[in-house]
Amino acid sequence: MGGFYELYLKQAEEYGPLLNLKVAMKPTTVGPVPMAGFPFFQLDRFLKILVHDLNKYVAISEEFSNNPLEKVKSGGLLFDRKVTRVVTPGTLVDEKFMDPYENNFILALHPASLEQEDSLQTSGLLEGSASGTSVQQKVGLAWLDLSTGAFYTQLTTLDVLSSGIARIRAREIVLSKTINENLKQCILALLGHEQHLVTWQPDLPQDKCITDWDPMFETPLSREERSIFTKHEVLAGNVLLEYVSDKLQGRATKLQPPVKRYEAENMCIDRNSLRGLEILETFRDATAGGRGSLLHAIRRTVTKSGARLLRERLASPSMSLDIINHRLDLVERFLRNRSFKEDITNLLRRTFDSQRLVQKFSLGRGDADDLVSLQSTVAATEHIANVLREEVAEKNGSNSLDRDTKDCLSLVLNRLSLKGPNELALRISEAIDEDGLTASHREERIQSSGAITMAQGILKQDGSEEDFQAMSQVFRAKTVAKASSPAGGEEEELWIMRRTASSILQRLHENLDMLRTEKSSLTTRLRSEMNAQSLTLRWTPGLGHICHVKGIKDVRASLTDHGSARNGSTTKSTRAFYLSEWSTLGARMDQVKMQMRAEEQRVFFELRELVVTNLVKLRRNAAVLDELDVACSSAILATEQSLVRPMLNNGTIHKIVAGRHPTVKLGLEEQGRAFISNDCFVGDKQKVWLITGPNMAGKSTFLRQNALISILAQVGSFVPAEHAEMGIVDQMFSRIGSADNLFEDQSTFMVEMLETASILKHATPRSFVIMDEVGRGTTPEDGIAVAFASLHHLYHTNHCRTLFATHFHALADMTNDWNGVGCFCTDVSESLSGSFSFVHRLRHGVNRRSHALKVAKLAGIPDSAIDIAAQVLNSFQEPIDIEPRNLVQHAARA
């Protein structure tokens, strides 16, 4: 509404206070109605609060000028208002509050109908459910990031659905209303664990098929490509694309062709492991890539899209030896040539997020600044291609690298398509005047000064200090821009296109130059005729084309009779009057300027179309740049932390020499402490390592570090060890930490058992399992029984590589005759003076003391409590039984 976005009625009353906006009563023909609003330039700020923070759906309505016919139909209204877009958490495109380092996915689910749904208990459908039933119910997944155009599908099962959702991390999940009630409740129960935002999509036409997707893709799908998608994936895709089309209000888009994901292609990291291993975020901070997470520890990328690719790889490590070794070859190539790595990294810094830039143009939202950014990216890509060619040519005759390592750069170089993008970049540089673009931004700030001033007055009176400060930067920019306006009020023309952008534009500029010459001649003649040297020829919104003079002397001189002069307004020191010569000349200049604006707009839309024409090549090049960025990042990390290249195979060995935890090591180094590395040779002769030892001596760290080393290796990164040789892992499982889920009526022990059940049901001989203190949430007898049963199942049924840490020392005796179980432990070193230190180095054997009282004392437990605990502990080790009350009385006397 004018320069403001406004809310009315119940929405104003509900959301006005949440947005810290004053709710006023606006007079209307039907009486006063509640109203709240904010300046148009603060749209992103309030969208962030509503969409990003509050998970609301926001319909944006804009003003459109009515043509004469529409004006008559509407009863004389100058403007019509239409909803141009509905913004939801999953359909963000280019909003400034989007996280540039993480994809903004929206996910649609479509489960298959159950044959005997009435006989199934909802709890039995949950992953790791209490009923112990593993339901292989098929579910189609389809997810996309509207800001990049990336589109994926996958067929999964209901019992592992929560892990898939955790990996995708969708901001919004869309479900069809046609799902039957039992499945609906089951899926909602799964989604409820992570508090996902769920949207319900109305029924879809039953005759929609995969060919109906083609108009939304950059290239249509071939018959062979369409045949790989299952019915459930297609149905999920229908739900998703219909929902996105509705929110875009018919705006055309060009998505990337759907990529079908197969569960056998990537390591499956279940939901508990993603969280427990702190791969993407930490327990303390739910922010992706937060300090202390694996992502934060290894990220050295210099581009935003490269960071997104690294995050995607961490969540879904590859199981293909060819893909993994190709990635490792790239890292090794950069490691061996430091100057080559630095050249590529510096060039990558000059690129922009072309994945999101290109998608903006496919949605018709890109502007001139985006074109300039795209041109810079293409230019940097050309330089990168040249550097790659030089490196390939230099090393082709060298014997210093093996053949595979040499070929990896050639494969990357061959994927770059430069002809079309280079022509586009040249056309953009020839068309857009960057200096004029900068000046136009300054002019836009000046033009918004009226709304800014009004908004500042309102906020100063009724708003908060935060709201008032939010506009200070814009206001200061406006003031500077005003101060830099040309003296004398002369009009300064701003053009974002070069005059050579088109032949028509060049001719119009020449016409305008001639008219300006006429204007200059007319000004000189009038100054001479009127003897008024301050005379200028101007245009103002209120008066139009006027002759303006200032100063008492010039005003008096201009009042003399002058043929066709017609008085406009006069004061003591200024006079404005009309002259037919200037009015005619000014009208001609306005006509030419209007034609120039129209031609600039035509050229701009032509450039937009060129971008869309090169969509496929630009996206392909952007993917190559992302891969180079991740490879350079891994090489930089390997240099910083002395990482080694892992050797992977299709076996089940896990041979790590001097392995280190990638995040704990960094934390200790910041404190000036050294990290103790450890070996791990599980999976060959010994499938299971049973690990005992004191609290705080590093058992959990050892478990985690070996899991993370496997993940890093299959991501295609070098790993923190002196030597690493391992077989491909198909699934990563962890049972570490403790937490309850009271909202779902699940105790700490119940959560522990749910996680254990999931592991025992799904682990295969190629899986890697780490389990820490299974059974600790109940009595010692029950805990030992549960821990032994879990260990027995892993050893005799799952046959997977397992690291099993426990304080139940009896397990070592109970598994003494199992040849495939190795016992290892950490320890405590005590001095004669009573001081002690933890020994984090693993050794063969069983440590039957947990030294819990030492940790309790370090934590600050009062000495009196420690004394009682020591006496109770001693009583358990003595042959005679001592009553606890006697021990308390004895401690009191002491």
Side-chain angles (χ1 to χ4, degrees):
M1 180 83 67
F4 286 77
Y5 283 104
E6 297 177 347
L7 302 91
Y8 293 95
L9 303 172
K10 291 182 179 179
Q11 290 185 344
E13 294 176 328
E14 181 179 356
Y15 297 113
L18 291 175
L19 300 175
N20 206 13
L21 298 174
K22 180 181 178 181
V23 179
M25 301 303 292
K26 181 175 182 177
T28 68
T29 55
V30 295
V33 298
M35 179 205 74
F38 53 86
F40 70 93
F41 52 79
Q42 287 192 306
L43 176 61
D44 270 339
R45 175 173 175 244
F46 288 101
L47 275 181
K48 178 185 182 300
I49 298 173
L50 289 168
V51 179
H52 188 271
D53 299 339
L54 300 178
N55 281 338
K56 300 299 180 183
Y57 307 156
V58 178
I60 299 178
S61 178
E62 304 281 3
E63 287 184 339
F64 295 88
S65 298
N66 279 331
N67 59 38
L69 180 60
E70 291 169 338
K71 201 176 296 183
V72 172
K73 289 181 178 179
S74 63
L77 294 178
L78 297 176
F79 297 98
D80 187 17
R81 292 181 180 84
K82 300 176 184 177
V83 174
T84 57
R85 184 178 165 214
V86 180
V87 184
T88 72
T91 57
L92 303 179
V93 175
D94 61 349
E95 282 68 26
K96 294 177 182 177
F97 55 83
M98 288 179 65
D99 186 348
Y101 301 105
E102 187 170 9
N103 286 103
N104 195 81
F105 284 125
I106 179 171
L107 167 69
L109 311 177
H110 195 283
S113 299
L114 287 172
E115 294 289 335
Q116 298 173 337
E117 58 193 37
D118 293 334
S119 64
L120 292 173
Q121 298 294 325
T122 300
S123 60
L125 297 175
L126 299 178
E127 181 179 352
S129 62
S131 70
T133 304
S134 178
V135 179
Q136 297 298 311
Q137 175 64 38
K138 293 181 179 179
V139 181
L141 305 181
W143 67 99
L144 67 84
D145 182 349
L146 198 54
S147 69
T148 65
F151 185 22
Y152 304 94
T153 72
Q154 183 176 337
L155 183 67
T156 186
T157 54
L158 202 58
D159 56 341
V160 295
L161 178 59
S162 62
S163 296
I165 292 173
R167 169 176 52 83
I168 296 169
R169 287 173 64 93
R171 282 298 316 278
E172 184 178 359
I173 296 177
V174 184
L175 296 172
S176 172
K177 289 184 177 179
T178 58
I179 298 176
N180 68 68
E181 193 61 30
N182 282 356
L183 280 173
K184 181 186 298 184
Q185 294 304 318
C186 169
I187 292 175
L188 289 179
L190 284 172
L191 300 179
H193 287 300
E194 304 294 335
Q195 302 297 311
H196 291 285
L197 174 65
V198 178
T199 304
W200 296 97
Q201 174 72 356
D203 297 349
L204 297 176
Q206 295 299 315
D207 57 348
K208 284 184 71 71
C209 59
I210 194 169
T211 54
D212 296 322
W213 296 2
D214 286 347
M216 298 189 72
F217 296 144
E218 60 188 21
T219 54
L221 298 176
S222 66
R223 182 187 296 271
E224 292 74 22
E225 290 171 328
R226 292 196 298 267
S227 65
I228 66 174
F229 298 99
T230 65
K231 175 184 177 182
H232 310 304
E233 290 171 287
V234 173
L235 291 172
N238 286 341
V239 173
L240 181 61
L241 295 180
E242 188 72 20
Y243 180 79
V244 169
S245 297
D246 178 64
K247 300 313 170 195
L248 292 177
Q249 293 292 293
R251 181 178 293 156
T253 183
K254 293 296 180 183
L255 303 172
Q256 299 179 45
V259 176
K260 181 179 175 65
R261 291 286 180 85
Y262 297 91
E263 291 185 349
E265 289 179 341
N266 301 97
M267 177 198 295
C268 177
I269 307 176
D270 75 323
R271 180 186 63 188
N272 302 317
S273 300
L274 273 175
R275 184 174 60 249
L277 295 173
E278 299 184 307
I279 295 173
L280 303 177
E281 61 190 25
T282 64
F283 285 117
R284 299 173 301 279
D285 183 6
T287 304
R291 183 178 177 83
S293 66
L294 179 63
L295 178 57
H296 177 270
I298 71 169
R299 187 172 66 195
R300 301 294 185 273
T301 52
V302 296
T303 68
K304 297 168 183 175
S305 51
R308 294 198 298 270
L309 177 62
L310 178 59
R311 184 253 170 228
E312 178 185 336
R313 288 183 178 179
L314 277 177
S316 300
S318 177
M319 287 179 58
S320 166
L321 285 175
D322 290 338
I323 292 174
I324 295 170
N325 284 321
H326 171 70
R327 294 173 183 175
L328 292 172
D329 288 342
L330 275 178
V331 177
E332 187 167 353
R333 195 64 180 263
F334 286 120
L335 266 177
R336 296 198 181 195
N337 191 334
R338 179 178 175 181
S339 62
F340 172 52
K341 175 185 66 181
E342 291 176 348
D343 288 344
I344 295 295
T345 302
N346 290 333
L347 287 169
L348 286 169
R349 294 182 194 276
R350 289 161 49 182
T351 65
F352 293 82
D353 194 345
S354 51
Q355 291 276 17
R356 286 185 168 172
L357 285 176
V358 169
Q359 183 64 7
K360 286 172 67 174
F361 284 105
S362 79
L363 290 165
R365 291 173 63 88
D367 55 24
D369 291 291
D370 296 324
L371 285 173
V372 172
S373 298
L374 202 56
Q375 183 263 330
S376 299
T377 301
V378 173
T381 305
E382 172 68 19
H383 289 308
I384 288 172
N386 292 334
V387 173
L388 292 174
R389 288 191 193 98
E390 292 173 3
E391 181 68 12
V392 170
E394 181 181 343
K395 298 296 182 181
N396 265 344
S398 171
N399 293 322
S400 60
L401 296 171
D402 59 47
R403 181 180 182 85
D404 291 338
T405 307
K406 291 178 186 177
D407 290 341
C408 68
L409 284 184
S410 299
L411 292 173
V412 170
L413 185 59
N414 292 338
R415 289 168 54 200
L416 288 173
S417 302
L418 296 170
K419 184 178 179 181
N422 280 346
E423 293 171 356
L424 169 65
L426 179 62
R427 181 73 182 101
I428 292 173
S429 63
E430 290 175 345
I432 294 183
D433 182 355
E434 293 188 43
D435 292 334
L437 188 59
T438 302
S440 70
H441 292 325
R442 185 168 59 246
E443 181 64 19
E444 287 170 4
R445 290 194 292 267
I446 295 173
Q447 290 175 358
S448 66
S449 61
I452 295 173
T453 305
M454 182 188 304
Q456 280 199 324
I458 295 172
L459 292 176
K460 192 170 184 179
Q461 181 178 354
D462 302 312
S464 67
E465 183 65 22
E466 179 187 354
D467 293 326
F468 187 78
Q469 292 296 329
M471 286 191 296
S472 61
Q473 183 177 357
V474 178
F475 186 74
R476 286 195 300 271
K478 176 208 69 172
T479 305
V480 172
K482 277 189 169 182
S484 62
S485 297
E490 291 292 338
E491 185 180 2
E492 181 183 1
E493 302 299 339
L494 301 173
W495 309 102
I496 64 170
M497 297 291 174
R498 300 182 190 275
R499 61 170 56 206
T500 56
S502 74
S503 57
I504 296 175
L505 200 56
Q506 187 165 5
R507 176 173 55 79
L508 291 172
H509 270 286
E510 291 171 355
N511 292 345
L512 185 60
D513 289 342
M514 289 189 292
L515 293 174
R516 282 174 174 163
T517 302
E518 288 185 39
K519 176 185 175 183
S520 178
S521 300
L522 178 60
T523 302
T524 302
R525 179 166 63 82
L526 292 175
R527 285 175 177 175
S528 175
E529 291 177 356
M530 295 186 177
N531 194 26
Q533 295 304 310
S534 66
L535 183 143
T536 56
L537 303 181
R538 297 183 176 184
W539 179 88
T540 65
L543 298 175
H545 293 94
I546 59 169
C547 302
H548 182 271
V549 293
K550 64 180 180 179
I552 297 175
K553 178 181 176 183
D554 285 356
V555 169
R556 288 175 179 172
S558 69
L559 289 173
T560 57
D561 185 34
H562 191 281
S564 59
R566 180 168 57 87
N567 195 46
S569 64
T570 304
T571 67
K572 257 184 189 180
S573 58
T574 63
R575 183 194 177 199
F577 59 94
Y578 297 96
L579 196 64
S580 60
E581 289 179 87
W582 168 230
S583 297
T584 303
L585 177 60
R588 290 168 59 198
M589 293 179 71
D590 288 345
Q591 181 66 24
V592 172
K593 290 176 187 175
M594 187 169 62
Q595 292 173 349
M596 290 170 68
R597 297 291 181 200
E599 178 62 13
E600 279 200 338
Q601 194 74 354
R602 187 196 68 78
V603 172
F604 176 72
F605 282 120
E606 180 185 272
L607 292 174
R608 265 187 177 177
E609 291 175 3
L610 276 175
V611 173
V612 176
T613 301
N614 287 277
L615 203 61
V616 176
K617 293 180 179 179
L618 290 169
R619 281 174 168 164
R620 187 181 302 150
N621 293 347
V624 172
L625 297 186
D626 293 345
E627 290 186 23
L628 290 173
D629 190 19
V630 172
C632 286
S633 169
S634 297
I636 293 170
L637 182 72
T639 303
E640 288 178 0
Q641 301 186 16
S642 302
L643 309 185
V644 299
R645 176 170 179 158
M647 295 182 290
L648 292 106
N649 53 58
N650 285 318
T652 57
I653 193 172
H654 183 85
K655 183 178 180 181
I656 306 297
V657 177
R660 308 183 295 275
H661 193 295
T663 59
V664 173
K665 178 179 179 292
L666 292 179
L668 290 176
E669 288 176 347
E670 289 180 0
Q671 302 171 31
R673 299 164 58 192
F675 183 89
I676 304 300
S677 58
N678 272 300
D679 302 339
C680 182
F681 306 130
V682 70
D684 187 9
K685 295 180 180 179
Q686 297 173 334
K687 288 286 186 182
V688 177
W689 273 26
L690 184 64
I691 303 166
T692 55
N695 294 288
M696 292 288 292
K699 298 191 304 297
S700 295
T701 298
F702 177 75
L703 267 59
R704 287 179 169 95
Q705 79 185 34
N706 282 282
L708 293 178
I709 287 173
S710 292
I711 290 170
L712 286 175
Q714 290 183 222
V715 162
S717 169
F718 281 33
V719 299
E722 291 183 5
H723 174 82
E725 181 181 352
M726 60 195 76
I728 292 292
V729 175
D730 65 349
Q731 297 179 87
M732 179 64 66
F733 295 102
S734 70
R735 157 79 285 283
I736 50 181
S738 62
D740 55 27
N741 187 353
L742 298 182
F743 182 78
E744 298 289 335
D745 194 26
Q746 295 173 352
S747 67
T748 302
F749 184 68
M750 182 60 177
V751 171
E752 179 184 320
M753 289 299 97
L754 286 171
E755 295 176 1
T756 301
S758 177
I759 295 172
L760 300 184
K761 288 189 296 184
H762 297 114
T764 71
R766 300 183 69 190
S767 299
F768 196 96
V769 174
I770 62 173
M771 302 191 79
D772 191 10
E773 300 186 31
V774 172
R776 64 180 172 181
T778 184
T779 66
E781 295 80 6
D782 287 349
I784 291 173
V786 169
F788 177 77
S790 301
L791 197 57
H792 186 277
H793 197 282
L794 290 167
Y795 183 79
H796 291 284
T797 304
N798 301 107
H799 305 290
C800 54
R801 288 161 281 185
T802 304
L803 299 179
F804 198 100
T806 184
H807 286 290
F808 297 141
H809 313 125
L811 292 180
D813 302 324
M814 298 168 73
T815 59
N816 190 43
D817 57 345
W818 296 2
N819 295 329
V821 175
C823 292
F824 294 83
C825 65
T826 55
D827 214 334
V828 164
S829 175
E830 298 183 81
S831 66
L832 295 176
S833 63
S835 62
F836 67 93
S837 61
F838 295 108
V839 179
H840 298 95
R841 182 84 65 190
L842 257 69
R843 62 176 175 83
H844 282 280
V846 179
N847 192 330
R848 299 184 183 275
R849 295 185 62 194
S850 293
H851 297 276
L853 299 190
K854 291 182 174 62
V855 178
K857 191 168 185 177
L858 286 176
I861 299 293
D863 290 342
S864 59
I866 297 292
D867 290 341
I868 292 176
Q871 293 178 56
V872 172
L873 184 60
N874 290 333
S875 73
F876 293 149
Q877 299 169 355
E878 293 177 1
I880 59 173
D881 187 21
I882 301 176
E883 289 292 331
R885 64 183 181 185
N886 295 333
L887 292 173
V888 174
Q889 293 171 359
H890 175 76
R893 288 195 299 271

